[in-house]
Amino acid sequence: MMETWNYIEYAAWGLSALFGLLMVMDWIKTDSTYSEDVLTSSREGELEAMTEESHKG
Amino acid sequence: MAQTDITSSERDGMGPHGTKVGLLRVLGPAHVWALGVGIVLVGEYMGWNFAVGKGGAYAALMACWFAGILYSCVAMIDSEVTSTVAAAGGQYTQAKHIVGPLMAFNVGLYLVFAYTMLEAANAITAGYLVSVVATMTGYGGALDQRPFIILVIMFLAWLNYRGVLATLTFNLVITSIAFIAIIVLFLSTSGIIGDGIMQHAALFEGHEKPYGWIGIVAAMHFGLWFYLGIEGTTQAAEEVRSPARALPFGTLAGIMTLLIAATLTWYICSGVLPWEFLGDGVNGSVAPLFDTARLSGSNALIWFLGIGTLFATLASANGCINDASRAWFALGRDKYLPAWFGAVHPQYRTPYRSIVFLVPIALIFALGAPLDQVITFSILSGLLGYTFMPLNILMFRKKWPMGTIKRGYEHPFHPIPAIVLLCLCAFTFFAVFLGYGTQLVAMIGFYIVVSLWFHFWRYRFVNRGAQFTMPWPKPLGY
Amino acid sequence: MAHYTPPAQSKLGQIIDVIVLVTLTVGALFAPLWLNLAGAAKTVATPVENPTWEALGQNAVQAGQYEALGYTPESAHDLILARFDYSFTSGALIVMIVVIVAYYALLLKFSESEYREVISEKFGKK
């Protein structure tokens, strides 16, 4: 039983590194593929602005 | 543009103000419920029992109900405001439109810290659970809990990074299982199915009020833990298909679920575990529902409640990552924090930079600070946020009286809930003062320093008029 | 009022701002720990020599549950008898009240002046 848990421990370290790596790699890829303009184009209140427009229309 | 369907696939996430990539609107009321209850339910599995230690079993029940009243007021007030102000950031965006920028900055930080600390507390608990399982299955040495703590945070951050629908559907499943586990434990130990093992009268005998009346006040501190985080439902506002309906519905259904779960939990645990053991969450009962299952003598119950405990911690950490990153993202989008954080992933449509940035912060606290400190920091940030809410609703009703703007939900009996909430917050500040006065003052000192930093330095980078994004008329009195 | 155009912040400035905020946060959490001011420890006021369940104030049912959990009167001694100390001075209470009220007053005052600026830029003067 001692050994099984030691392997589980290693697996947890490994998986942690894997998930971290996946995120960082995708992050770098995304930042270099798209312009900062597109990435940070989100604005607050778009839904409200559109509902308002369709009411007027 | 007149008849734009914002949920259509080609228009989704875009908007007239120039949004090219926005958050994805995919969630329904069930996801809102899962987000709210998922964050909180872990409080039933661990942590609430510190209230028993503070004042005895009866004090914990009174704290449970008084905190229930406090949170019902929170849910009602929050539902009204958020059904009108539907944006990521929740209470932060409300504060920005109703009270002012500095208050909004503080509220944003309360949210980020309350959730990040809670996430850290969950990861610590999950690591502890794994070590208990290791011991139960015959592992002799002391298991290194760190890889499991890190794995919980990494896996859930990755899940959040990949998209909100999968994240909250996952939460819906594991939260439901954890809630059912409490119901099953109640049915099978209370005597409704099979023989009951409840012995309330005999266990309370001679220990009704171990600290007298002041214990009942002191218990209120951890009474909040039964419900802490339910207000996080509003963070999903920008990702819900119809916020004006789904948010009040999900939030109010959530608080009802929690009132039931909290009362059942108190009943089950206090009827089986002696109060001194139950009330000591460090040396005594770390996971009281699990300990109750252990005394039931049923292996099936032990496993079910063990799994329930683990699922509750995961659901909570998961929801916390979701909420903290939304709040951080909203602060970045308005340049309250560097604008770099206001980015949305073009494919997954999540605030990916905020999610990644908060991972190491959560790890610092999960690996470096003791559990009760982390919990206290989280509770205090929450409490400061609840104190803001009555001010918020009073100003909201004054600046925009009924009828001046369309409200998706109007809470009854105004201003009674606001006044009750303010009184209960004052009461809870006193309860925290009884045990953790130094931390309370240290933390408010921290918020005063960052407020000055924001007002005199950071605010220069913020657009003035553009912050006000709701299509409302000018507030009365300005 | 005139439209306010915020200055653009350099990359380095953004990074410094984040570092400042994170440092303050970590400081606020760990300072009470380093200064040994993190209170709320329980202590046993009057220890019992050679404890029995009766001497610890436990009736038969209570003792039974402790035994089911794997305790003996010796091992449960500290758990059962340790208590919090809720005594406080009125000076400390007044300090706390002043700090909290001052904090919210500061928040509301600065927010109000910033808010007026936002509203007048958004809606124009009356």
Side-chain angles (χ1 to χ4, degrees), chain B residues 52-416:
Chain B
V52 176
K54 285 273 173 186
Y58 282 128
L61 182 64
M62 276 185 242
C64 167
W65 285 343
F66 273 113
I69 297 171
L70 186 153
Y71 278 90
S72 299
C73 295
V74 164
M76 276 159 62
I77 290 173
D78 223 27
S79 291
E80 170 168 333
V81 187
T82 210
S83 71
T84 324
V85 189
Q91 290 86 2
Y92 154 74
T93 314
Q94 302 174 8
K96 192 176 66 172
H97 283 85
I98 297 166
V99 184
L102 179 63
M103 180 56 106
F105 179 69
N106 276 268
V107 170
L109 291 185
Y110 302 157
L111 295 167
V112 173
F113 293 141
Y115 293 123
T116 308
M117 297 294 162
L118 180 48
E119 176 194 343
N122 287 316
I124 295 172
T125 309
Y128 165 80
L129 276 173
V130 174
S131 78
V132 170
V133 174
T135 313
M136 277 167 61
T137 52
Y139 183 82
L143 191 76
D144 187 0
Q145 298 181 12
R146 286 174 306 162
F148 301 100
I149 293 174
I150 298 173
L151 179 60
V152 166
I153 291 176
M154 283 294 182
F155 168 69
L156 295 175
W158 175 78
L159 193 63
N160 269 277
Y161 188 105
R162 301 268 304 182
V164 72
L165 186 62
T167 304
L168 291 189
T169 307
F170 175 70
N171 243 35
L172 184 57
V173 174
I174 59 178
T175 303
S176 305
I177 293 174
F179 181 62
I180 292 168
I182 297 180
I183 305 278
V184 168
L185 182 66
F186 170 71
L187 291 177
S188 47
T189 55
S190 64
I192 293 175
I193 299 172
D195 293 333
I197 55 170
M198 295 293 144
Q199 311 188 68
H200 287 96
L203 282 177
F204 290 2
E205 192 198 10
H207 303 283
E208 288 84 2
K209 284 204 304 272
Y211 287 97
W213 289 101
I214 198 158
I216 291 167
V217 180
M220 190 66 183
H221 175 182
F222 289 100
L224 294 198
W225 201 244
F226 277 112
Y227 314 92
L228 190 95
I230 182 69
E231 71 280 6
T233 48
T234 56
Q235 297 299 326
E238 220 164 303
E239 290 149 283
V240 170
R241 281 193 298 268
S242 83
R245 215 161 29 89
L247 287 177
F249 183 80
T251 310
L252 295 173
I255 192 77
M256 287 175 214
T257 311
L258 291 171
L259 283 166
I260 295 168
T263 307
L264 289 184
T265 300
W266 178 87
Y267 180 82
I268 300 166
C269 295
S270 67
V272 173
L273 304 171
W275 82 273
E276 301 96 337
F277 173 79
L278 176 60
D280 194 329
V282 180
N283 304 312
S285 185
V286 176
L289 283 167
F290 180 68
D291 287 329
T292 307
R294 271 170 50 201
L295 289 192
S296 73
S298 153
N299 270 326
L301 278 182
I302 294 178
W303 279 104
F304 197 16
L305 268 295
I307 290 167
T309 311
L310 183 63
F311 279 6
T313 59
L314 291 179
S316 181
N318 195 24
C320 286
I321 294 174
N322 182 84
D323 283 357
S325 61
R326 268 33 173 207
W328 196 258
F329 160 79
L331 287 166
R333 194 163 62 174
D334 285 328
K335 302 208 180 68
Y336 282 37
L337 292 173
W340 187 79
F341 291 111
V344 175
H345 196 291
Q347 205 183 335
Y348 303 134
R349 312 284 286 281
T350 51
Y352 68 111
R353 285 175 183 164
S354 300
I355 293 173
V356 173
F357 174 77
L358 290 173
V359 167
I361 307 287
L363 287 176
I364 291 176
F365 295 117
L367 298 173
L371 183 61
D372 67 326
Q373 293 295 317
V374 173
I375 288 183
T376 299
F377 215 94
S378 181
I379 289 180
L380 280 173
S381 290
L383 183 57
L384 290 169
Y386 307 141
T387 312
F388 144 77
M389 285 179 189
L391 308 174
N392 190 38
I393 188 74
L394 290 171
M395 291 170 102
F396 184 50
R397 290 273 181 124
K398 206 172 111 221
K399 292 179 180 177
W400 292 276
M402 305 301 266
T404 50
I405 49 176
K406 193 174 168 295
R407 287 161 156 90
Y409 166 84
E410 293 166 2
H411 83 269
F413 313 123
H414 180 78
I416 295 170

Side-chain angles (χ1 to χ4, degrees), chain B residues 54 97 272 455 458 478, chain C residues 17 59 65 86 114-115 126:
Chain B
K54 285 273 173 186
H97 283 85
V272 173
H455 184 77
R458 183 68 219 173
Y478 285 83
Chain C
D17 274 5
N59 64 24
Q65 295 303 81
Y86 289 144
E114 291 165 352
Y115 189 70
K126 268 182 219 172

Side-chain angles (χ1 to χ4, degrees), chain C residues 53-94:
Chain C
W53 290 121
E54 292 73 35
L56 294 173
Q58 307 295 310
N59 64 24
V61 171
Q62 292 156 357
Q65 295 303 81
Y66 272 110
E67 277 164 12
L69 288 163
Y71 284 96
T72 61
E74 287 77 27
S75 65
H77 176 268
D78 285 3
L79 185 72
I80 289 176
L81 293 182
R83 291 287 184 277
F84 291 107
D85 177 12
Y86 289 144
S87 61
F88 61 90
T89 60
S90 50
L93 181 63
I94 290 165

